[in-house]
Amino acid sequence: MMVYRGVGLLASVMLTVLTLSGCVTCDSGPALYVRGSMKSEISSHGTFISTTRKVQEQYKLARPGDSFDVAEGVPFQLTVPGVVNLGTNALRITQKDTVVAGPPVYTVSLVESCNPYVVMDRKCKIVNWYNPYRIPEVRIRNSDAQLIMTPLLDPSDAIIGYEIRLGDHKDCGSPALRRLQRSKHTTFAPVRSNTKDTPWELSSLEGAKPE
């Protein structure tokens, strides 16, 4: 069961979102298998964006529980060496709380999506959740801001995950909403399930790029 306070969902994806839920057990639902490497940076809103700049760091996410921290705008190479199912797992990008001067630092994690939850504790906090089939429980602390979930779209306008945000886009900004508004479609559905023999390239997750 998902715990939301002040939830706002875009009408265009209401039906899609309501068919998804956090799960008590890892049942055999749709699967999105991915693997490979990509050169990326983390944007100011915590999304993967492709880069041609020289890589400064190299990271690997091989199994649930693996994570790394990277500052906004730092080019890195991310490798998922084996086939990972983003139906029973998720890639999660969350901004870290820090009092150190400098650019924001984000934690990129590979997490199991059974009994998942994210903590939202300040206005304009954004968590990007790369799993198109399961959405996590959201636990809100110390904030009365509206909770909004906006789909992350791939280049073909299929849902590959969700931008989870505390606060209206007018105050907080939302690359996912801008991407959604550019689409010619009026309804959206999660990307089609695939098999271990036909995994996506990891770079396919760079679908929600800010302009």
Side-chain angles (χ1 to χ4, degrees), residues 8-203:
L9 293 176
L10 292 173
S12 58
V13 296
M14 178 71 78
L15 293 178
T16 298
V17 172
L18 290 179
T19 64
L20 306 175
S21 66
C23 57
V24 176
T25 60
C26 272
D27 52 19
S28 55
L32 179 62
Y33 294 100
V34 300
R35 72 175 175 193
S37 297
M38 65 181 182
K39 292 174 60 178
S40 285
E41 301 176 15
I42 301 297
S43 74
S44 60
H45 287 88
T47 55
F48 292 118
I49 54 175
S50 63
T51 183
T52 57
R53 298 165 60 199
K54 184 178 179 180
V55 168
Q56 297 183 27
E57 305 286 350
Q58 296 191 29
Y59 302 105
K60 180 171 66 174
L61 297 176
R63 59 187 60 85
D66 289 353
S67 67
F68 62 90
D69 294 340
V70 61
E72 173 193 328
V74 173
F76 64 90
Q77 180 169 309
L78 172 59
T79 300
V80 173
V83 176
V84 169
N85 181 5
L86 293 187
T88 56
N89 301 285
L91 278 172
R92 183 182 64 198
I93 306 177
T94 309
Q95 184 176 343
K96 296 191 69 174
D97 294 325
T98 178
V99 295
V100 180
V105 175
Y106 291 87
T107 299
V108 182
S109 308
L110 179 62
V111 298
E112 292 183 348
S113 59
C114 295
N115 292 325
Y117 73 90
V118 296
V119 176
M120 308 295 282
D121 54 9
R122 65 181 183 276
K123 185 178 179 180
C124 294
K125 181 172 182 176
I126 290 178
V127 173
N128 287 287
W129 176 266
Y130 290 87
N131 175 323
Y133 311 119
R134 304 173 192 264
I135 53 180
E137 175 188 321
V138 179
R139 301 179 182 179
I140 300 176
R141 298 175 182 169
N142 307 317
S143 178
D144 293 321
Q146 185 181 38
L147 176 67
I148 300 175
M149 287 191 181
T150 306
L152 297 169
L153 302 180
D154 76 355
S156 64
D157 289 348
I159 298 172
I160 56 175
Y162 296 89
E163 176 194 88
I164 306 169
R165 184 177 75 254
L166 264 187
D168 188 85
H169 72 280
K170 294 179 181 178
D171 298 324
C172 303
S174 173
L177 179 59
R178 292 199 302 272
R179 171 70 178 85
L180 195 73
Q181 291 170 334
R182 293 199 308 270
S183 173
K184 296 180 181 179
H185 295 87
T186 56
T187 59
F188 303 89
V191 65
R192 287 188 176 184
S193 182
N194 63 6
T195 69
K196 288 184 177 180
D197 295 327
T198 59
W200 266 26
E201 285 295 323
L202 189 65
S203 58

